[in-house]
Amino acid sequence: MAYRRFFCNLDLPSRTIENRNSTIEHRPWWQTGVIYQIYPRSFFDANGDGIGDLDGIRRKLDYCSGTLGVDALWLSPFYPSPQKDFGYDVADYTAVHSDYGTLADFDRLLSEAHERGLKIILDFVPNHTSEEHDWFTESRSSKDSDKRDWYIWKDPVEGPDGQPGPPNNWLSNFGGSAWEWDETTEQYYLHLYLPGQPDLNWRNPEVQEAMFEQARFWLERGADGFRIDVAHAIMKDPAFRDNPPNPSGEGFHKHRGAYDEQLHLYEEGHPDTHRVYRAFRRLLDGYSTDSDRIALGEMHIYDRGEWASYYGQPRADGTRDEMHLPINFALLKADWTAAGVREIVDSLEAILPRGAWPNYVLGNHDEPRLRTRLGGKDQARQAAVLLLTLRGTPMLYYGDELGLEEVEIPPEEQLDPWGQNVPGLGRDGCRTPMPWTSESDTAGFSEASPDQLWRPVGEANRRRSVEAQIDDETSVLALYRRLLGLRRETPALHAGSYRPLDRGVPEGCFAYLRTGPDRDRVVAAINFTDEALTVPLPAEGALLLSSRLDRRDETTGERLHLRPHEAAVVRIA
Ligand code: NOJ
Ligand code: CA
């Protein structure tokens, strides 16, 4: 069985440190730690203008590293930008948008984070710039511009109707053709997202060098790595062939629109992309000791083998040569059943090449809030147990630790272009302000008046503030804190192997054994049904935690009883 290979074979790159009684494997922080994603616009507003900022994040560092106990913060973009795609349209990669503060604020945030042992990961947006970036202004000014070939310009092509039209049938993720006609020079330019986000031409070596230079800017300031936006699409088919139709009509992206009617063969996942990430890894390694500056790639590649190829080729030291963690989005699209979730975990374990470390995500700024998506608070609690007990680095989205719900914002009020162009897909509702206190109208997010907030807090979410939950021993926040603490102090959880349990485990329950380098053993079991279930354990156990946090000091014997939709973690002999 596939799992055996992984159970028997702890094949991770590691240095070995001898300890008096045991052998402890040393692993890099990004394998044992937990990454917390912050949407800077919505975390904390330090200057009262209704928009979150870098100084706001700095003021909440104690919450991140102390109260919660995460290891790294990934910050969505805070660079100068016309904000057509809320910062993913970058007008200058080496500065800070005035909404978020200044470079000095960044330096202070970074240094205070580092004092607490917290890493800071920045968002790197290499696929496209804003149309307001100087490079694009220059490029679009003339066909003879030095920067013309920094973007992707094409002549019109005669369509089936005999009329001149776009060079091929590629579509924008935000709706419509991916080609925009530019009057000044009478050519089309490519934009896989908004027309205001022209795609860079990564086949031009000058572009690669210029973009790497932008990354160096932040590495030299001390940034601990990058989440790479649209990492799967930076290289396009050099022949710009038409995409074929998608016969199943089912979209991996679940855009539910014309976008899913094509197979995105020629603008996503081009094999030449590998050489860019190999070079990027060399860049990061040049700034690292012990591989500690990292690349997390937004890899929307749904063939699992192909996805895993972005870890790169093996190197002599046992590591691989591309991304530390190509982000694994599979759980976001999972059927929320024991079989559905297990299939995703087992197939990931089976596909991971030697030296590659797994990772999981259950929420981010592009997806409806976890609790809303999964259908309720019990499911949100199960999800927390799952995410923080699986083998692999968890990525946690701010506010999910409070059980925040999607805030309902009607399409006509959505600021997100997706919400405006594709009904039902607006992302504003998962990007709303973090509620810190329940008493204030702005949930302690800002001193501005509620109508000045860039997005509403949402009444239900206001009641779920940090303050409202912090002293409640059974709150969702308490659950996350307990799980994060447990994961940190339990080698089986942060470094151990994974083996799914089968014998006698009832249908509707997903249970797995984690075994640490020192042979400590933990079972996590999740009941996905609305009935009580009993799970046989491999040995006698002691309950460490229930997702409801209302069971204490229980020994389980060799049988664990789970209530409907309950998840539990048990230490076993
Ligand atoms: C992926 C980002 O996560 C999303 O928010 C953005 O709209 C697109 N990339 C385009 O940059
Ligand atoms: Ca502000």
Side-chain angles (χ1 to χ4, degrees):
M1 280 173 102
Y3 69 77
R4 289 198 185 280
R5 194 179 126 218
F6 290 92
F7 184 54
C8 306
N9 179 11
L10 275 169
D11 54 8
L12 298 156
S14 60
R15 285 192 285 113
T16 301
I17 301 171
E18 288 300 322
N19 175 306
R20 218 177 293 147
N21 302 318
S22 60
T23 302
I24 295 177
E25 292 194 70
H26 167 81
R27 286 153 195 270
W29 72 265
W30 50 271
Q31 294 187 357
T32 54
V34 174
I35 299 172
Y36 184 67
Q37 182 191 353
I38 288 181
Y39 200 66
R41 230 175 157 71
S42 288
F43 203 56
F44 183 63
D45 172 18
N47 66 351
D49 64 358
I51 298 173
D53 41 51
L54 294 182
D55 207 41
I57 299 172
R58 183 183 65 79
R59 295 204 207 170
K60 296 296 183 186
L61 286 175
D62 283 341
Y63 171 79
C64 301
S65 73
T67 309
L68 262 188
V70 295
D71 301 274
L73 308 180
W74 148 28
L75 310 181
S76 285
F78 51 74
Y79 318 108
S81 159
Q83 307 288 1
K84 287 191 173 165
D85 187 17
F86 286 94
Y88 286 96
D89 46 331
V90 181
D92 179 352
Y93 289 98
T94 56
V96 174
H97 190 296
S98 55
D99 279 355
Y100 303 118
T102 61
L103 265 179
D105 291 335
F106 172 80
D107 290 339
R108 194 163 169 210
L109 164 62
L110 186 76
S111 118
E112 294 190 18
H114 283 174
E115 277 165 23
R116 291 164 172 81
L118 262 180
K119 308 282 185 185
I120 299 281
I121 311 285
L122 304 189
D123 219 308
F124 186 57
V125 188
N127 181 67
H128 44 264
T129 65
S130 158
E131 64 187 333
E132 291 185 17
H133 197 292
D134 287 348
W135 299 342
F136 189 68
T137 311
E138 173 58 38
S139 181
R140 92 190 306 181
S141 66
S142 146
K143 280 186 180 161
D144 301 325
S145 154
D146 284 352
K147 295 221 164 31
R148 187 65 171 180
D149 193 37
W150 282 40
Y151 292 83
I152 299 172
W153 293 96
K154 295 275 171 214
D155 286 328
V157 164
E158 196 175 294
D161 56 359
Q163 297 300 312
N168 66 20
N169 69 353
W170 295 358
L171 296 172
S172 155
N173 281 267
F174 286 126
S177 167
W179 297 96
E180 182 77 359
W181 178 247
D182 194 57
E183 287 294 343
T184 321
T185 53
E186 300 198 316
Q187 278 193 318
Y188 284 97
Y189 67 85
L190 181 71
H191 59 90
L192 294 185
Y193 291 84
L194 293 173
Q197 293 168 297
D199 279 45
L200 282 161
N201 175 15
W202 276 80
R203 293 193 181 275
N204 180 341
E206 286 177 20
V207 167
Q208 174 167 321
E209 184 39 38
M211 283 305 293
F212 281 22
E213 197 52 36
Q214 317 298 302
R216 277 184 208 113
F217 175 88
W218 296 104
L219 291 168
E220 269 155 29
R221 293 190 106 80
D224 298 292
F226 301 99
R227 175 267 189 187
I228 306 172
D229 186 63
V230 192
H232 56 287
I234 61 171
M235 280 284 190
K236 281 78 179 173
D237 173 37
F240 291 88
R241 279 168 281 187
D242 274 346
N243 279 326
N246 175 8
S248 78
E250 265 177 38
F252 291 126
H253 296 269
K254 302 202 171 151
H255 288 241
R256 287 178 240 137
Y259 196 81
D260 287 334
E261 288 164 19
Q262 283 185 4
L263 286 176
H264 297 280
L265 272 195
Y266 292 121
E267 83 287 39
E268 294 184 1
H270 194 283
D272 292 346
T273 314
H274 288 287
R275 75 171 144 78
V276 177
Y277 297 127
R278 264 197 301 279
F280 197 64
R281 178 61 174 257
R282 284 195 296 274
L283 173 77
L284 289 171
D285 285 347
Y287 285 90
S288 301
T289 13
D290 198 18
S291 204
D292 58 352
R293 306 237 196 160
I294 65 166
L296 314 172
E298 189 199 17
M299 293 306 302
H300 285 295
I301 298 282
Y302 294 87
D303 177 284
R304 287 169 187 160
E306 193 189 331
W307 170 84
S309 70
Y310 287 91
Y311 285 99
Q313 297 297 315
R315 302 193 281 200
D317 64 357
T319 62
R320 302 190 81 88
D321 68 355
E322 293 186 40
M323 292 177 190
H324 299 74
L325 301 173
I327 301 177
N328 166 26
F329 295 101
L331 278 182
L332 283 165
K333 311 287 172 191
D335 281 341
W336 201 248
T337 60
V341 171
R342 176 174 169 175
E343 193 277 326
I344 283 171
V345 176
D346 286 1
S347 59
L348 175 71
E349 290 283 348
I351 207 77
L352 273 183
R354 198 178 174 78
W357 181 249
N359 69 87
Y360 293 96
V361 179
L362 272 171
N364 65 33
H365 64 294
D366 292 331
E367 300 291 334
R369 278 280 176 193
L370 166 69
R371 176 183 181 139
T372 311
R373 220 178 53 238
L374 298 182
K377 63 176 182 343
D378 292 339
Q379 286 81 352
R381 284 173 182 258
Q382 291 176 325
V385 174
L386 178 77
L387 186 66
L388 292 166
T389 58
L390 281 174
R391 186 178 91 95
T393 307
M395 293 187 210
L396 208 73
Y397 185 50
Y398 86 98
D400 279 350
E401 77 275 21
L402 302 176
L404 296 191
E405 278 179 47
E406 184 79 357
V407 175
E408 243 184 82
I409 298 174
E412 63 280 9
E413 285 172 29
Q414 288 273 341
L415 300 176
D416 173 29
W418 224 332
Q420 296 156 4
N421 297 344
V422 189
L425 281 195
R427 297 171 294 180
D428 287 12
C430 69
R431 300 173 172 181
T432 53
M434 175 84 169
W436 296 98
T437 63
S438 295
E439 293 316 313
S440 101
D441 290 344
T442 58
F445 162 71
S446 171
E447 287 185 355
S449 62
D451 59 355
Q452 283 177 308
L453 301 193
W454 87 278
R455 294 285 66 193
V457 174
E459 188 46 30
N461 285 346
R462 189 169 67 85
R463 282 184 271 111
R464 300 193 177 106
S465 69
V466 173
E467 186 190 57
Q469 298 193 38
I470 196 85
D471 295 324
D472 173 355
E473 288 180 3
T474 61
S475 66
V476 185
L477 178 58
L479 175 64
Y480 272 91
R481 295 178 68 194
R482 287 274 303 278
L483 281 163
L484 283 157
L486 201 57
R487 187 173 177 97
R488 195 175 329 110
E489 72 204 22
T490 310
L493 290 177
H494 64 246
S497 63
Y498 158 88
R499 177 163 73 87
L501 298 178
D502 282 307
R503 219 168 49 173
V505 175
E507 207 181 312
C509 178
F510 177 30
Y512 43 93
L513 175 69
R514 305 286 321 275
T515 304
D518 281 346
R519 316 306 297 165
D520 60 319
R521 300 202 299 167
V522 167
V523 167
I526 301 158
N527 177 1
F528 284 82
T529 74
D530 43 23
E531 283 168 20
L533 296 175
T534 299
V535 186
L537 297 171
E540 295 205 344
L543 190 87
L544 292 171
L545 167 154
S546 147
S547 53
R548 298 199 205 160
L549 292 183
D550 58 353
R551 292 165 68 172
R552 289 193 181 276
D553 304 325
E554 256 182 58
T555 49
T556 58
E558 290 190 1
R559 296 172 81 72
L560 167 68
H561 301 292
L562 289 176
R563 292 166 289 176
H565 295 291
E566 185 179 22
V569 187
V570 180
R571 186 180 299 288
I572 59 165

